[in-house]
Amino acid sequence: MTDLEKWQAASAKEVKGKDLDWHTPEGIVVKSLYTAEDANVDPGLPGFAPFTRGVRASMYAGRPWTIRQYAGFSTAEESNAFYRRNLAAGQKGLSVAFDLATHRGYDSDHSRVVGDVGKAGVAIDSVEDMKILFDGIPLDKMSVSMTMNGAVIPILAFFIVAGEEQGVDRKLLDGTIQNDILKEFMVRNTYIYPPEPSMRIISDIFGYTSREMPKFNSISISGYHMQEAGATQVQELAFTIADGMEYVKYGVASGLDIDKFAGRLSFFFAIGMNFFMEVAKLRAARVLWHRVMTNLGAQDERSKMLRTHCQTSGVSLTEQDPYNNVIRTTIEAMAAMLGGTQSLHTNALDEAIALPTDFSARIARNTQIVIQEETGMCNVVDPLGGSYYIESLTQELVDKAWEIIERVEAEGGMAKAVAAGWPKAMIEEAAAARQARVDRAEDVIVGVNKYRLAEEDRIETLEVDNAKVREGQVARIAAVKASRDESACRAALDALREGAKGQGNLLALAVDAARARATLGEISQAMEDVFGRHATVPTPVKGVYAAPYKEDKRWRQVLDGVQAVEHRLGRKPKLLVAKMGQDGHDRGANIISSAFGDMGFDVVAGPLFQTPEETVVLALDSGVDVVGASSLAAGHKTLIPELIRLLKDKGRGDIKVIAGGVIPPQDYDFLRDAGVQGIYGPGSNVVECAADVLRLLGHNMPPLEDAA
């Protein structure tokens, strides 16, 4: 009897034959024990192809990763002060969060963005805002990352001109622009233009930066938002690498030498709570990218080297018992570090509720500093390299992700796959399945579906006065327009519009417009006049949420309740899931649409980016009983009361309005006073939410606990 057979016998005896294998959502069977036979691929050495063990030979033993904090809120002045405090406290690079009006190419004075200005990031309307944002921060010495995709042309143009007016040659500008539009069409939805012109924008940025900005990373290919939207780690890995392939192919097709721009491409991954899976994912990503770039004809090893920024998971944070989020973020930061990230942002404990305060941001930042300075983790290059489990898991991820990548390529590339919609549908199915596992407590979340506190203590949160910020931004826009040479500005915008019709480099033309003090909205509109504005309507997945509930008594009780209401009304109860404002994150809205549809409700999945006025028209035309307003970007205190007021003005105050998403508990009373009849924050059990909605519709629904 071999030693392994002896262990198998002893283990089976201890657990009385129970299967200890773990079947992950990625479709990987994780064994309870790994041996040398499982690690049958040589991972090589750090700094050498295929870079499994890291992109630099010395890794953190030579230099630790860059500590970044993704931040931006309110005005450029307030964000600048926040940045300067953080830099003084040990942060090494800036990562700018823009508000949703900016992301979607609207100036702050536009009627569609009344509830969005300054709420989920900083409002940037012109070069003057960008100059204030970096006041006192030398752009020839500071690495700046900017999360921007839709309005990438005006934002990057403003950054270049702000550098010029600081006296910094653009050749010295260091940092990264996200510039990753394919994932916007899949999950995040802060797009402006249709896919084809959006891909042209990316190629133009590649061309301009490769010639003019040799230190600047022209794209950060992002899987982060895929995992946040519900993707498994295999899906995140495969679609991110496939997106990168597509961008490289577009760059080459536009006439660029692959080795002239590919070395400045970077990546961005989410780091969730599946610790070893996340470590292996980063290692697998480097292997896959080296393979892809070799196949695409790159010769320079730097072109084949996957460099990445990581951010701890936002979706793993909980509103309930939020101090647990400090623990979660620490675990995720360690996974990113052990996986070999080049820079890292750690989320703050209160970000499932609101924007981070200085107090919570300091804890998040210090999490990284403590790991770097106190633990000794940085003294060894790739400390988990050679682990039987890690090496086996890395190879499993490589193989499973490659299967998806091969399907993408067989169907014509990622742009065509995105247009066909199957990657988005695959991610939404994974999200619905995950929510069902959480609601059934099959996936444990401490403080949410297990070890729940009897009473929650409220924590102090940061709130932005949206009306005050917008008022200030509107005044600054007016001042910029009053002081500029209007004819020079119009000529620059006309040149940009003509360039969009023809062959001009859009970024170069936008830099000219930015110098002439054209606003973000004007630059975006000049291109929109040619390209149009993209729009989609959600299509909820069906049957995925219901599948695990076949024998569940609580589920059966809700189905019976829906049928009872249907019998009373003579039709199914009807719910409109509404996304108002410019927030494109639709994971929560999609899950609710899918789950309520599976429970028998007639669900209208509303379009993204609606105004309250448009939502009322859709609600009345659709004949709904309930409007569920999904909020993630802090616009709830502006948009939801306006929705309720407009319904009453139309004589339909009988339509129930409920709210879900990231809503601070201290705002609950405000919303209830405004007429909101149900509020469901992060971590709410969807089956219990449905039961509550049935009660609002007059059904005598007993507590679900009684159904057990």
Side-chain angles (χ1 to χ4, degrees):
M1 195 175 193
T2 66
D3 288 343
L4 179 58
E5 288 170 336
K6 290 177 183 176
W7 174 85
Q8 290 170 335
S11 175
K13 184 177 180 182
E14 288 171 1
V15 298
K16 298 180 174 59
K18 177 185 175 184
D19 181 10
L20 292 180
D21 289 349
W22 172 29
H23 297 259
T24 76
E26 290 77 18
I28 293 173
V29 179
V30 174
K31 301 190 297 183
S32 56
L33 178 71
Y34 283 80
T35 67
E37 292 181 2
D38 297 298
N40 55 12
V41 177
D42 181 3
L45 290 170
F48 292 88
F51 307 109
T52 314
R53 303 190 66 186
V55 295
R56 292 168 56 235
S58 61
M59 286 303 290
Y60 310 140
R63 186 181 71 196
W65 67 91
T66 300
I67 298 172
R68 295 188 186 277
Q69 289 301 96
Y70 177 56
F73 59 93
S74 184
T75 62
E77 290 91 342
E78 289 201 41
S79 292
N80 173 263
F82 184 80
Y83 293 160
R84 291 169 74 167
R85 289 196 300 272
N86 283 1
L87 291 170
Q91 186 176 314
K92 299 300 182 185
L94 295 178
S95 187
V96 182
F98 298 96
D99 75 356
L100 290 165
T102 303
H103 273 289
R104 295 270 293 146
Y106 295 116
D107 285 335
S108 296
D109 58 0
H110 198 285
S111 60
R112 297 194 72 86
V113 299
V114 172
D116 295 301
V117 177
K119 293 296 282 188
V122 60
I124 298 293
D125 292 307
S126 72
V127 168
E128 297 305 320
D129 288 329
M130 192 69 83
K131 288 170 67 178
I132 293 167
L133 187 66
F134 296 115
D135 182 43
I137 300 171
L139 293 178
D140 56 343
K141 295 181 175 64
M142 180 59 58
S143 171
V144 176
S145 172
M146 293 178 286
T147 299
M148 177 54 64
N149 302 284
V152 64
I153 288 285
I155 284 296
L156 191 49
F158 292 165
F159 179 70
I160 291 166
V161 175
E164 287 177 1
E165 298 186 8
Q166 245 192 34
V168 178
D169 190 298
R170 56 182 169 270
K171 288 183 171 55
L172 299 177
L173 294 173
D174 186 8
T176 304
I177 189 81
Q178 192 164 99
N179 192 27
D180 175 8
I181 202 64
L182 286 174
K183 70 98 173 45
E184 297 294 329
F185 293 116
M186 274 194 284
V187 290
R188 191 164 174 257
N189 300 309
T190 51
Y191 43 67
I192 300 175
Y193 315 110
E196 195 61 36
S198 295
M199 294 298 288
R200 178 194 162 182
I201 285 170
I202 289 170
S203 293
D204 281 4
I205 290 171
F206 285 176
Y208 184 96
T209 55
S210 64
R211 291 189 305 271
E212 305 287 338
M213 302 167 70
K215 296 178 66 178
F216 199 79
N217 297 314
S218 53
I219 193 168
S220 175
I221 304 153
S222 175
Y224 183 87
H225 305 95
M226 297 181 201
Q227 189 181 136
E228 292 291 282
T232 68
Q233 276 89 336
V234 165
Q235 292 167 355
E236 178 193 8
L237 180 57
F239 292 137
T240 305
I241 298 297
D243 280 351
M245 291 176 67
E246 194 79 347
Y247 295 136
V248 171
K249 287 189 285 187
Y250 265 78
V252 171
S254 70
L256 296 174
D257 181 332
I258 190 170
D259 286 316
K260 288 288 192 291
F261 73 90
R264 300 309 305 176
L265 274 57
S266 65
F267 287 78
F268 175 30
F269 286 102
I271 304 295
M273 285 295 288
N274 192 342
F275 185 85
F276 292 105
M277 190 74 76
E278 295 292 6
V279 174
K281 182 184 75 183
L282 297 185
R283 301 170 96 250
R286 292 191 288 270
V287 174
L288 287 165
W289 188 242
H290 186 273
R291 181 187 297 178
V292 162
M293 294 304 289
T294 300
N295 292 347
L296 290 176
Q299 300 298 315
D300 189 338
E301 284 299 290
R302 183 172 175 79
S303 299
K304 307 176 187 181
M305 184 186 294
L306 182 144
R307 296 164 301 113
T308 189
H309 171 71
C310 290
Q311 181 175 339
T312 59
S313 174
V315 78
S316 73
L317 303 178
T318 65
E319 174 188 353
Q320 298 83 0
D321 205 358
Y323 290 104
N324 288 340
N325 294 334
V326 177
I327 303 161
R328 294 184 178 101
T329 295
T330 302
I331 291 167
E332 292 166 350
M334 288 172 58
M337 172 264 167
L338 290 167
T341 190
Q342 278 59 68
S343 65
L344 178 62
H345 163 83
T346 32
N347 286 329
L349 67 95
D350 48 1
E351 288 189 68
I353 306 167
L355 290 167
T357 62
D358 276 9
F359 168 77
S360 65
R362 178 171 60 85
I363 293 172
R365 181 186 62 251
N366 286 355
T367 299
Q368 296 192 54
I369 295 173
V370 169
I371 292 172
Q372 285 189 357
E373 302 286 352
E374 296 188 22
T375 64
M377 288 186 181
C378 294
N379 296 333
V380 177
V381 180
D382 189 27
L384 292 184
S387 156
Y388 303 148
Y389 178 32
I390 286 294
E391 300 300 352
S392 175
L393 196 53
T394 298
Q395 191 57 44
E396 284 259 30
L397 286 168
V398 167
D399 293 343
K400 287 196 173 294
W402 192 249
E403 289 176 9
I404 295 176
I405 292 168
E406 287 186 315
R407 176 184 173 187
V408 169
E409 289 305 290
E411 297 185 18
M414 200 62 194
K416 289 185 178 178
V418 168
W422 65 265
K424 182 177 180 68
M426 187 181 285
I427 291 170
E428 289 178 2
E429 288 174 7
R434 160 70 171 168
Q435 186 63 46
R437 292 195 305 273
V438 170
D439 286 348
R440 288 171 54 80
E442 292 166 2
D443 287 4
V444 172
I445 301 178
V446 174
V448 175
N449 60 13
K450 197 173 183 180
Y451 311 110
R452 184 81 183 254
L453 291 175
E455 186 174 338
E456 298 277 350
D457 293 330
R458 289 189 178 182
I459 63 172
E460 181 183 344
T461 57
L462 177 67
E463 183 171 359
V464 172
D465 186 339
N466 165 242
K468 182 179 178 182
V469 174
R470 187 169 188 267
E471 182 182 329
Q473 289 300 120
V474 169
R476 187 175 290 155
I477 291 169
V480 166
K481 289 182 176 180
S483 62
R484 72 191 182 188
D485 181 332
E486 192 63 28
S487 62
C489 183
R490 290 294 134 204
L493 288 169
D494 288 342
L496 175 61
R497 195 174 291 106
E498 289 304 309
K501 295 176 184 176
Q503 300 299 316
N505 184 287
L506 295 171
L507 179 54
L509 292 165
V511 168
D512 292 339
R515 287 196 193 101
R517 287 326 190 248
T519 67
L520 176 131
E522 290 172 325
I523 292 172
S524 296
Q525 186 63 50
M527 292 186 288
E528 186 179 337
D529 290 344
V530 179
F531 299 148
R533 183 171 279 265
H534 185 69
T536 58
V537 177
T539 305
V541 299
K542 297 179 180 179
V544 176
Y545 188 89
Y549 277 96
K550 290 178 182 176
E551 308 301 325
D552 192 288
K553 292 182 179 179
R554 293 156 58 89
W555 176 262
R556 184 72 254 168
Q557 188 179 7
V558 170
L559 295 187
D560 290 345
V562 171
Q563 289 174 0
V565 172
E566 180 180 356
H567 180 74
R568 175 165 54 84
L569 296 176
R571 56 172 175 78
K572 292 182 176 183
K574 200 165 192 177
L575 167 71
L576 166 61
V577 178
K579 286 289 294 183
M580 295 183 291
Q582 298 304 306
D583 170 36
H585 293 86
D586 58 357
R587 172 183 177 143
N590 290 337
I591 286 172
I592 293 299
S593 295
S594 296
F596 272 63
D598 284 356
M599 286 183 268
F601 284 79
D602 186 356
V603 176
V604 178
L608 298 173
F609 313 124
Q610 289 207 304
T611 63
E613 291 81 1
E614 289 165 340
T615 301
V616 167
V617 170
L618 181 58
L620 298 182
D621 288 349
S622 303
V624 302
D625 305 296
V626 182
V627 177
S630 174
S631 174
L632 186 68
H636 52 272
K637 291 178 73 173
T638 304
L639 299 170
I640 298 177
E642 179 67 4
L643 169 68
I644 293 170
R645 184 187 70 77
L646 291 168
L647 284 170
K648 289 179 178 176
D649 287 350
K650 295 291 185 181
R652 292 305 311 272
D654 59 302
I655 295 177
K656 317 295 183 186
V657 174
I658 60 177
V662 179
I663 301 173
Q666 49 265 50
D667 290 351
Y668 284 14
D669 288 342
F670 172 89
L671 291 176
R672 290 188 182 110
D673 290 344
V676 175
Q677 297 195 39
I679 304 172
Y680 311 102
S684 296
N685 183 294
V686 178
V687 177
E688 292 176 358
C689 294
D692 197 46
V693 170
L694 291 173
R695 295 183 191 106
L696 292 177
L697 294 176
H699 180 60
N700 185 22
M701 191 84 191
L704 292 185
E705 288 78 8
D706 293 350

